Amino acid sequence: MAYISPFRALRYDPSKVTLSKAVTQPYDKITPAMQEHYYDASPCNLVRIVLGKKEPSDGPDNNVYTRAAKYFADWRRDGVLKPDAEPSIYLYVQQFAVPGGTERLERRGFIALGRVEDYANKVVYRHEQTLSKPKADRLDLLRATKAHFEQIFMLYSDPASEIDGALNPNSAPDMETSDEYGVTHKVWKVSDPKLVQLIRDKMADKKLIIADGHHRYETSLNYRNERRTAAGGAVNPDASYEFTVMTFVNMDRPGLVILPTHRVVHGLTGFSSDVLRDKAKAYFRVKEIDPSFDAAEAANKLRETGNTGTAILAITTNRAFLMDSPKAADAKIFAGLSPRQQLLDVVQLHKCLLEGVLGLSEESIRNQQNLSYIRDAGEALAQVRRGSANVAFLMNPAKMEQVRDIAFAGEVMPQKSTDFFPKMISGFTTYALE
């Protein structure tokens, strides 16, 4: 099923640039402040390629994509990025504490090429909806550079942990760094042909779920289709554009953490806390609670209430409402959604509260016209309490079993439904198509 392959990754030469000053978080997690920090860290920092700065004079011949291509060409020419001598896969270990916690966890995976598969082939499964604008941006970058710089985070099932057991290093890592979230990242190059083939064989019957990187995966699909068309429709299964870089993680092992992504609604005229409370009673049991809690207390309250089902906290400027025990709603509001999808807190929030109570349309939600996605509950609370937003909705994270079941059923969750932590660092391995 899953076809993986070793590759000769382009890697930063430590004699030319310090790894910690060159790597980045994934492009869609880079804030403007982080972008500035990465630019200042090194003239060879990968941010110049994956999320370059726009300039007032940008045009068809000089823009973020043409500059990215030039940086990439220059770094290859100057030996800043050097290809490994032999095709390899790369063991990737992350050691971290969950935000707000102290216990150190470990997540293991490996980096390799994975064949880009149409969803209809039932090898690769998505679990979230995608948006056209980010895919257009990534496609322009891929066309310009003809390279993949960031890994797509893929999940597979291996209850016996045979693959992780085979990838058991007994030497110091080839690459190691820590990031701004206190995560330690270690990478070992694995080039023993017998071991590589063993991993390929064990992966051959696996189905894959995209954890992070839906937009980049579908960009790879679109680019592959473009190249096939340019080749007259011929399919060459070994062509470089038939593959992209993936990190494969066993979903059955501990260390797989999903964080919630909260919703903050702003810019609504005539918003009323009383109206929110009263209308929400058509969908949930609603209890007004003391609003003077912090982010940690909110998380505890949600966790306790959510043990038996849906739990959502709605916070306005100086009030708070705990919503749970969903009621049987008008079937039209869940039209087209399976019972699995309807049980998701994020679907209950979108359909019942954002659309049903506040009257936001699906299109406005997709375009984030009155909606922001905030991962930090403290920031969501701060925005609404200082009056820059109407209401913040805090949620529990989706469970891994929910993600798995939704994906394998061929269904999707709303965008920004899952936040796998930590992210895969960009810059350890680059896959050049030419």
Side-chain angles (χ1 to χ4, degrees):
M1 301 279 289
Y3 187 92
I4 72 161
S5 179
F7 68 117
R8 295 177 61 208
L10 289 167
R11 295 196 287 135
Y12 279 105
D13 183 342
S15 70
K16 299 288 181 69
V17 61
T18 302
L19 185 66
S20 62
K21 296 182 181 300
V23 297
T24 74
Q25 294 292 322
Y27 83 99
D28 55 341
K29 310 303 175 189
I30 299 174
T31 65
M34 292 167 68
Q35 185 188 47
E36 287 292 339
H37 170 75
Y38 291 147
Y39 261 83
D40 292 341
S42 169
C44 299
N45 187 283
L46 192 69
V47 74
R48 287 173 167 77
I49 291 177
V50 298
L51 192 67
K53 291 181 179 179
K54 296 181 180 179
E55 298 177 359
S57 60
D58 280 356
D61 299 322
N62 181 31
N63 52 58
V64 291
Y65 309 113
T66 60
R67 288 191 291 274
K70 186 177 188 307
Y71 283 124
F72 184 43
D74 289 348
W75 296 350
R76 294 178 77 178
R77 181 199 63 218
D78 297 340
V80 173
L81 289 173
K82 296 176 63 175
D84 280 332
E86 60 276 313
S88 306
I89 62 175
Y90 302 83
L91 172 64
Y92 184 6
V93 174
Q94 296 168 294
Q95 296 163 333
F96 61 97
V98 176
T102 56
E103 180 188 3
R104 296 290 288 181
L105 304 176
E106 181 176 278
R107 187 172 73 193
R108 296 164 64 92
F110 67 93
I111 304 169
L113 298 187
R115 176 166 287 156
V116 179
E117 300 274 4
D118 294 311
Y119 294 137
N121 293 344
K122 299 188 181 302
V123 176
V124 173
Y125 295 77
R126 60 177 182 158
H127 78 270
E128 281 189 348
Q129 296 173 345
T130 57
L131 304 173
S132 57
K133 187 175 179 180
K135 288 188 287 189
D137 164 59
R138 291 300 95 179
L139 185 56
D140 284 339
L141 179 64
L142 181 53
R143 287 167 177 157
T145 60
K146 296 182 175 59
H148 294 285
F149 302 92
E150 302 187 289
Q151 312 137 53
I152 295 165
F153 181 177
M154 289 291 195
L155 301 169
Y156 67 93
S157 179
D158 181 14
S161 294
E162 293 181 332
I163 293 170
D164 284 331
L167 293 171
N168 194 15
N170 56 9
S171 61
D174 295 283
M175 294 178 281
E176 182 174 357
T177 190
S178 295
D179 68 19
E180 49 268 86
Y181 301 106
V183 181
T184 300
H185 304 261
K186 301 179 181 180
V187 179
W188 288 260
K189 185 168 74 74
V190 179
S191 53
D192 176 7
K194 291 184 179 179
L195 179 54
V196 170
Q197 189 58 50
L198 175 67
I199 302 304
R200 297 182 74 185
D201 291 343
K202 289 187 177 296
M203 286 295 296
D205 65 346
K206 304 300 183 189
K207 297 179 179 180
L208 306 174
I209 296 174
I210 303 171
D212 265 341
H214 287 77
H215 291 95
R216 282 173 281 140
Y217 184 79
E218 292 183 15
T219 294
S220 299
L221 273 171
N222 292 335
Y223 184 75
R224 181 207 68 182
N225 293 341
E226 283 187 358
R227 294 291 296 268
R228 284 182 176 180
T229 299
V235 176
N236 176 2
D238 298 321
S240 61
Y241 51 79
E242 297 283 340
F243 298 87
T244 191
V245 186
M246 303 175 182
T247 296
F248 302 90
V249 173
N250 181 6
M251 72 175 84
D252 300 311
R253 279 182 62 94
L256 197 60
V257 174
I258 305 176
L259 302 178
T261 300
H262 310 295
R263 272 63 171 159
V264 175
V265 179
H266 50 81
L268 298 183
T269 58
F271 174 81
S272 163
S273 296
D274 286 336
V275 172
L276 169 67
R277 175 200 61 200
D278 293 343
K279 286 189 173 182
K281 288 179 179 178
Y283 303 101
F284 303 100
R285 180 175 66 183
V286 179
K287 179 182 179 182
E288 185 158 6
I289 61 175
D290 182 349
S292 60
F293 49 78
D294 60 19
E297 291 167 331
N300 287 335
K301 190 173 294 291
L302 283 167
R303 186 163 47 249
E304 291 169 3
T305 309
N307 276 335
T308 56
T310 294
I312 298 169
L313 267 175
I315 301 96
T316 62
T317 304
N318 53 14
R319 300 175 73 178
F321 307 97
L322 178 62
M323 303 177 182
D324 66 351
S325 302
K327 300 177 180 179
D330 185 344
K332 289 187 293 186
I333 201 166
F334 293 120
L337 296 174
S338 73
R340 274 182 299 268
Q341 292 168 304
Q342 294 177 33
L343 288 174
L344 296 169
D345 287 14
V346 66
V347 169
Q348 292 280 336
L349 169 57
H350 274 235
K351 291 299 179 183
C352 298
L353 296 175
L354 298 184
E355 297 180 31
V357 172
L358 298 182
L360 302 183
S361 68
E362 287 187 18
E363 182 180 8
S364 73
I365 292 171
R366 279 195 301 271
N367 295 333
Q368 300 180 42
Q369 291 175 1
N370 295 98
L371 186 68
S372 299
Y373 298 100
I374 306 290
R375 289 180 167 82
D376 185 335
E379 174 58 23
L381 291 172
Q383 285 191 22
V384 75
R385 285 171 174 168
R386 66 174 176 253
S388 59
N390 301 112
V391 56
F393 293 106
L394 306 186
M395 292 183 297
N396 285 312
K399 298 178 176 64
M400 185 59 237
E401 312 89 76
Q402 293 176 309
V403 175
R404 179 198 63 208
D405 293 346
I406 289 285
F408 285 154
E411 300 166 354
V412 294
M413 304 163 75
Q415 63 269 27
K416 308 292 184 182
S417 292
T418 57
D419 180 18
F420 285 86
F421 182 87
K423 301 305 177 188
M424 303 294 179
I425 285 291
S426 299
F428 284 137
T429 58
T430 292
Y431 171 47
L433 305 183
E434 296 181 357

